[in-house]
Amino acid sequence: MNNEVFEAFNKGSFAIPGKVIAFDQINWSKHPTFEGVELKHIVTAAQTDGQFSYHLVRIAPGCAIKNHIHETQLETHEVIAGSGVCINDGTKLAYAPGVVSLMPAKVPHEVAAGEDGLYLFAKFMPALC
């Protein structure tokens, strides 16, 4: 799989006046519920007063973030690399690089990676963690 763009993101940074957060200094963590899903918490609630959070997400081939909802968060996905499918409020959406999707609070959604895995930039407002 060609995930040069994802690796550029993985080595990128979050830059705001007076602060730069280097992504390669942040460890990957296993998703607490879904097998084959790893997260890198780029910007957290502690850094934004709970207003928003940003996360890199990598889903191994054939793995999924199963159906769930977020009670209070609006969630967006920006597909960076790989392929897969998102079921967003009952509608099947093809995920490929360049696709952006939005899930309002309380809307059921799930994401499954294709045979080459799936790499997302996920944003939550207010912050997820």
Side-chain angles (χ1 to χ4, degrees), residues 61-104:
C63 292
I65 298 172
K66 300 198 185 294
N67 193 42
H68 66 286
I69 63 167
H70 299 284
E71 288 294 328
T72 60
Q73 289 93 2
L74 168 106
E75 179 178 3
T76 66
H77 294 160
E78 297 171 29
V79 181
I80 301 168
S83 65
V85 172
C86 176
I87 307 296
N88 183 342
D89 200 19
T91 300
K92 185 176 181 179
L93 307 171
Y95 266 17
V99 170
V100 176
S101 187
L102 177 119
M103 285 71 55

Side-chain angles (χ1 to χ4, degrees), residues 21-33:
I21 300 167
F23 298 170
D24 62 359
Q25 300 300 306
I26 301 168
N27 292 323
W28 286 98
S29 59
K30 291 184 178 188
H31 194 284
T33 307

Side-chain angles (χ1 to χ4, degrees), residues 35-56:
E35 186 72 29
V37 178
E38 293 180 296
L39 307 165
K40 188 176 271 202
H41 304 297
I42 301 298
V43 179
T44 65
Q47 297 159 310
T48 66
D49 254 352
Q51 294 179 50
F52 61 91
S53 61
Y54 292 171
H55 314 266
L56 285 179

Side-chain angles (χ1 to χ4, degrees), residues 115-129:
E115 64 185 32
D116 52 355
L118 185 59
Y119 302 82
L120 307 172
F121 188 38
K123 300 173 185 175
F124 293 86
M125 290 143 265
L128 181 63
C129 62

